[in-house]
Amino acid sequence: MSTVTGDRGAAAWFGDPAVDLTGPLLEGRLADLLADKMIMMTGVTGFIGEQLLWKILTDLPATTAAVLVRPKGSATPRARVISLLKKKIFADLVADAGSPEALLDARMVVIPGDLPNVPELPEELDIVVHCAGDVSFDPPIDQAFTTNVIGTSRLMQQMLAAAERSQKVPHYVHISTAYTAGRRRGAIPEAEHVHGIDHHAETEHGLGLRALVEAQSRTADRLTALRKVAEVEHRLAGHLTTAADTERRRKAWVESQLVKAGTERARSLGWTDVYTFTKALGERAVVEIGADISVSVVRPAIVESSWKHPYPGWIEGFKMAEPLILAYGKGELPEFPASPDSVVDIVPCDHVVNATLAVCATLPEPGKPEFYHVSSGARNPLNFREMYGHIRSYFTAHPFTGGDRGTAALPIWKFPGAASVERFLSTSERAHKVAEAVLRRAPRSGPARKAAKSLDRTRRRLDFLRRYLGLYNEYAQSELHFVDDNTLRLHRSLDPADVDHFAFDTAAYDWTTYVEEVHCPSITAPVRRMDAIRRKRGRTPSTMRALAAGRPDADKVVAVFDLDGTIMSTNVIEQYLWARLPELGPAERLREIGELLTALPNWLKAERRDRGHFLRAMYRRYAGADLAALEAFVDTTMSAHILERVSPDAVRRLREHRAAGHTTILITGVIRPLTRPLAPLFDVVVAADLATDEDGRCTGFLNGPPLVGESRAAWLHHYAALHDVDLGRSYAYADSHSDLPWLSVVGNPVAVSPDVPLMRAAGEKQWTTVEWQTRSQTPWWVMPK
């Protein structure tokens, strides 16, 4: 590992530290240089902005912080800032002031506004620090331009408008990124990047792409393709569910096309992604608009947790490296497409904040912008092989506590290259696709659900790898070396009394301490806490709530149960055979079964299209049956056969609902006579009614459409309106993906021994999934006697 504590590492790449570079220096203590000044900040609720505010309030006692904050939901900008000041790092400041409100009123000015909708700015501004921006590597192209180019331009224009009113021109400090250098190689100087890109034209075209892609998403061919995919997944749930999913897919397609457009446009012009591309064009806009004022551009590399302040390891949220580090610790990152000798240029957040405030205390010559790289690769390089070694060493000593599958084995990275990693990933994706195709044809069962869960874990892992390897592949193989002469020179001009609190020399720490003792513990601590909470809570269900009697308005709660596959292990074909075969002789039984087997393939096709069509076709076979005789047969002969197949778990839950004062409802597509043995368990039974002629014989038709899919949801809404039912407090239990619409109607849906599509939907919606045993002691082929 290379740890350089002197002036320079790999001097051949970088300038001579003895060269007397031109540029502003610090002439005094920062607290004095910035006293009685108003520093306006954007992005104060973000990672760097939050610590920058803390630093101003903590170590610059005579400086006022003005913050541009937008409302969010019902929270006003002032309320959002007060919430920010309640965070841990501001605790001592709040205690000294007496309250967050008092601290805000004494030291801060809140400017309601947003980017790019920047309001009129105060005339008292001395310094404007723009650290807001879209930090995602792959936002839609129009979003990236709106935030990083238009937002920056509007902010500067409003700043200049305020300056014109007050005749006081602020120093503009722009927080960019070192990776605006794009796909260049070698030493990157602290200067404006040379390129011929017209940021006005690129912005205009980038913003115009949304309307173009939206129009493309609405063409007949595109909508047909999206609808067919949605129908494959949701046809049984109903037309409205399919339509909603089609529209969801259309919107997702629009966003994905805009993301792809941004990535490809950036790479076609020499940048890694749309983030660095629009940040580079934002820099060009800054230099152009700020041609006659003092401008400084701070370019941090990969910003991670703090080295020292507010405390070692301070970080807000997950940044660039955290998802990869955590995935490695969980054994889910088998390889990484990095060049082992490429530098991973990490810089602690407090170094970026300290450097920014030091830059604020300078005053560049108008029209000659100053650039500063805040990076570690120049004098304290850390390559990917060394980074991997530190992370592996940390997790070897401090593994994540194992869950159901035990402690994960840490992968051994061999750095085979991007091409090998891509082959591995592509092969795994193809294998997963084949396994999914097999699963779709598997019957509903516990093993099928177990296999689906395993495939889902694999899919999440593959999606994670595809996303992050795609995003970080360029960075992991970069050969950039950021010269930081200006930054080092500025650091050396710090007053000796400021060095402890405002240091930003990235050669001052060693990577073993930073990665293994500061950074990794800080990012894994919240994950370990959440894992401990989950273990303590166990598998407590979220929608399968405990029921108790005596709660207010219990009569406004309903508990709705499906029948087949939920509270009973049976289906409409079995039930028909139970009713039909006992009255037939041996030859007639064989003929009946043969006819059923012949019709079965067409019935299954009908069910895959629309369960209502299947039920209508099945119930045609009841034509000619005496309805009264069928009811009597069910009461005297089939009742025990039916009740034996009712799940004891379902009966227990039904009794709990009744004891709690809830109305219990059975809603099923089964014909009503077959529900008669279950009537004592329910207050309301909704079933299919067989139509009869004047002699009481079944015609083979129904009195109305069978209640399936979305029609059950409509029935529930109507029933709730008639009986003053609170659906938000009510319960529903079902087993099939076709039940998704009406499960979504209530506040407490439960998936019971579900098919794979419903199991997955329940997981996404955080519904409880339970396994109710419904096995009978009597084999299915034994007929009632």
Side-chain angles (χ1 to χ4, degrees), residues 82-142:
I82 289 173
S83 296
L84 177 67
L85 294 176
K86 292 178 181 179
K87 289 190 174 183
K88 175 183 176 181
I89 63 171
F90 297 100
D92 291 342
L93 291 162
V94 169
D96 292 341
S99 68
E101 293 82 359
L103 177 60
L104 188 155
D105 293 335
R107 298 289 310 279
M108 298 177 65
V109 174
V110 177
I111 306 170
D114 193 9
L115 298 174
N117 304 312
V118 183
E120 185 175 285
L121 300 179
E123 299 177 2
E124 302 86 357
L125 299 180
D126 297 285
I127 302 162
V128 173
V129 180
H130 181 31
C131 55
D134 197 323
V135 297
S136 168
F137 289 134
D138 61 344
I141 187 170
D142 61 320

Side-chain angles (χ1 to χ4, degrees), residues 402-733:
D404 296 339
R405 293 176 291 159
T407 301
L410 296 178
I412 298 175
W413 287 1
K414 298 181 179 179
F415 298 96
S420 295
V421 174
E422 174 59 32
R423 283 194 297 273
F424 163 78
L425 184 54
S426 297
T427 301
S428 300
E429 289 170 336
R430 287 193 296 271
H432 182 270
K433 187 175 181 179
V434 171
E436 280 287 352
V438 173
L439 181 65
R440 280 197 296 270
R441 290 163 175 77
R444 179 189 314 182
S445 64
R449 287 188 287 274
K450 183 177 180 181
K453 291 177 182 178
S454 176
L455 283 175
D456 289 346
R457 286 193 295 269
T458 301
R459 176 181 51 80
R460 287 192 294 270
R461 187 179 301 118
L462 292 175
D463 289 347
F464 173 87
L465 292 174
R466 175 59 68 192
R467 171 171 171 74
Y468 282 98
L469 297 187
L471 287 177
Y472 296 163
N473 185 41
E474 295 270 349
Y475 296 90
Q477 301 179 70
S478 70
E479 298 179 13
L480 297 171
H481 300 270
F482 302 115
V483 175
D484 64 347
D485 292 329
N486 287 351
T487 305
L488 178 61
R489 184 172 180 271
L490 185 64
H491 178 269
R492 287 174 173 170
S493 70
L494 281 171
D495 187 281
D498 276 346
V499 171
D500 184 55
H501 285 283
F502 290 96
F504 49 93
D505 180 5
T506 54
Y509 51 84
D510 70 277
W511 291 112
T512 299
T513 302
Y514 178 76
V515 177
E516 299 184 33
E517 300 176 21
V518 175
H519 187 60
C520 283
S522 74
I523 65 171
T524 58
V527 177
R528 296 179 194 277
R529 285 195 296 269
M530 287 304 300
D531 287 346
I533 291 172
R534 292 190 190 100
R535 287 194 298 273
K536 185 176 180 180
R537 289 179 178 174
R539 298 185 180 275
T540 303
S542 58
T543 55
M544 182 78 167
R545 303 183 187 281
L547 304 176
R551 292 185 178 176
D553 296 327
D555 59 331
K556 293 186 177 182
V557 176
V558 297
V560 191
F561 291 77
D562 177 44
L563 181 59
D564 293 348
T566 302
I567 66 174
M568 272 185 71
S569 59
T570 183
N571 58 67
V572 294
I573 296 178
E574 281 185 288
Q575 294 157 6
Y576 168 76
L577 291 174
W578 295 345
R580 179 64 172 155
L581 294 187
E583 66 179 6
L584 301 177
E588 293 172 313
R589 287 188 180 187
L590 289 176
R591 183 169 58 251
E592 186 70 23
I593 292 173
E595 290 177 0
L596 285 176
L597 291 175
T598 301
L600 187 60
N602 289 330
W603 286 349
L604 293 177
K605 290 179 182 178
E607 185 175 33
R608 283 193 288 268
R609 292 193 301 269
D610 187 320
R611 182 164 174 79
H613 294 335
F614 162 70
L615 292 176
R616 289 184 180 93
M618 182 66 217
Y619 294 154
R620 288 291 183 92
R621 302 195 70 84
Y622 283 95
D626 186 313
L627 182 58
L630 176 60
E631 291 174 344
F633 179 75
V634 170
D635 293 342
T636 59
T637 305
M638 284 183 61
S639 181
H641 209 66
I642 291 172
L643 292 176
E644 188 188 31
R645 283 163 170 76
V646 174
S647 165
D649 299 310
V651 174
R652 264 192 302 274
R653 190 62 174 174
L654 276 160
R655 289 173 176 166
E656 289 173 0
H657 278 293
R658 286 202 148 181
H662 301 163
T663 300
T664 55
I665 300 174
L666 175 65
I667 187 166
T668 178
V670 170
I671 58 174
R672 187 173 298 279
L674 297 178
T675 67
R676 292 168 66 88
L678 304 170
L681 295 171
F682 295 95
D683 300 302
V684 179
V685 175
V686 183
D689 289 303
L690 292 168
T692 59
D693 59 20
E694 61 275 9
D695 297 323
R697 291 194 172 274
C698 300
T699 63
F701 298 100
L702 300 174
N703 284 332
L707 281 184
V708 295
E710 291 166 351
S711 60
R712 294 187 182 186
W715 185 93
L716 271 177
H717 279 298
H718 182 62
Y719 182 89
L722 290 177
H723 299 277
D724 193 25
V725 169
D726 184 351
L727 290 175
R729 295 169 55 206
S730 294
Y731 298 76
Y733 304 83

Side-chain angles (χ1 to χ4, degrees), residues 218-263:
R218 288 172 164 82
T219 62
D221 289 345
R222 177 57 52 192
L223 290 174
T224 299
L226 295 171
R227 177 176 54 79
K228 286 183 177 180
V229 175
E231 284 177 347
V232 169
E233 186 170 341
H234 296 291
R235 181 185 290 113
L236 289 177
H239 296 300
L240 296 182
T241 304
T242 300
D245 190 59
T246 301
E247 178 63 8
R248 180 191 65 79
R249 291 174 185 275
R250 187 195 67 80
K251 292 179 178 178
W253 183 85
V254 168
E255 296 304 305
S256 68
Q257 291 300 301
L258 291 172
V259 168
K260 183 178 179 181
T263 300

Side-chain angles (χ1 to χ4, degrees), residues 64-79:
T64 300
V67 294
L68 180 70
V69 180
R70 64 180 174 86
K72 188 174 184 180
S74 60
T76 64
R78 178 180 172 86

Side-chain angles (χ1 to χ4, degrees), residues 70-385:
R70 64 180 174 86
K72 188 174 184 180
S74 60
T76 64
R78 178 180 172 86
R80 292 189 68 198
V81 175
I82 289 173
S83 296
L84 177 67
L85 294 176
K86 292 178 181 179
K87 289 190 174 183
K88 175 183 176 181
I89 63 171
F90 297 100
D92 291 342
L93 291 162
V94 169
D96 292 341
S99 68
E101 293 82 359
L103 177 60
L104 188 155
D105 293 335
R107 298 289 310 279
M108 298 177 65
V109 174
V110 177
I111 306 170
D114 193 9
L115 298 174
N117 304 312
V118 183
E120 185 175 285
L121 300 179
E123 299 177 2
E124 302 86 357
L125 299 180
D126 297 285
I127 302 162
V128 173
V129 180
H130 181 31
C131 55
D134 197 323
V135 297
S136 168
F137 289 134
D138 61 344
I141 187 170
D142 61 320
Q143 179 182 315
F145 274 103
T146 297
T147 303
N148 294 332
V149 182
I150 294 180
T152 297
S153 301
R154 298 270 175 84
L155 175 65
M156 292 193 73
Q157 289 162 357
Q158 287 290 57
M159 180 191 75
L160 293 177
E164 187 174 349
R165 294 193 302 272
S166 66
Q167 299 300 305
K168 177 182 178 182
V169 182
H171 173 197
Y172 178 79
V173 179
H174 186 74
I175 310 301
S176 184
T177 171
Y179 291 94
T180 52
R183 301 170 104 174
R184 294 173 173 83
R185 294 185 177 185
I188 306 300
E190 293 170 295
E192 184 179 0
H193 297 308
V194 177
H195 63 77
I197 309 301
D198 183 344
H199 72 86
H200 298 286
E202 289 298 324
T203 301
E204 181 181 353
H205 288 294
L207 296 178
L209 277 175
R210 179 167 290 274
L212 177 62
V213 175
E214 283 281 355
Q216 292 173 346
S217 75
R218 288 172 164 82
T219 62
D221 289 345
R222 177 57 52 192
L223 290 174
T224 299
L226 295 171
R227 177 176 54 79
K228 286 183 177 180
V229 175
E231 284 177 347
V232 169
E233 186 170 341
H234 296 291
R235 181 185 290 113
L236 289 177
H239 296 300
L240 296 182
T241 304
T242 300
D245 190 59
T246 301
E247 178 63 8
R248 180 191 65 79
R249 291 174 185 275
R250 187 195 67 80
K251 292 179 178 178
W253 183 85
V254 168
E255 296 304 305
S256 68
Q257 291 300 301
L258 291 172
V259 168
K260 183 178 179 181
T263 300
E264 291 306 317
R265 184 55 179 159
R267 291 181 178 175
S268 73
L269 294 174
W271 276 268
T272 55
D273 46 55
V274 75
Y275 166 68
T276 55
F277 175 50
T278 54
K279 290 293 279 188
L281 297 189
E283 285 189 12
R284 180 59 57 88
V286 166
V287 172
E288 180 183 286
I289 298 172
D292 299 321
I293 65 173
S294 297
V295 169
S296 298
V297 178
V298 179
R299 292 173 176 160
I302 302 171
V303 185
E304 296 293 346
S305 63
S306 289
W307 169 245
K308 188 173 183 180
H309 298 118
Y311 54 82
W314 179 86
I315 192 171
E316 286 280 316
F318 286 166
K319 307 307 164 191
M320 182 172 177
E322 285 67 60
L324 302 177
I325 293 174
L326 295 174
Y328 179 82
K330 291 179 179 291
E332 296 178 351
L333 194 62
E335 193 53 87
F336 195 66
S339 299
D341 56 356
S342 288
V343 171
V344 50
D345 207 313
I346 290 175
V347 58
C349 183
D350 51 345
H351 280 53
V352 176
V353 167
N354 291 343
T356 299
L357 288 174
V359 170
C360 288
T362 68
L363 191 63
E365 182 180 343
K368 294 184 178 181
E370 294 289 338
F371 293 81
Y372 299 89
H373 285 153
V374 187
S375 55
S376 59
R379 293 173 298 107
N380 192 5
L382 171 72
N383 64 42
F384 276 96
R385 180 180 55 79

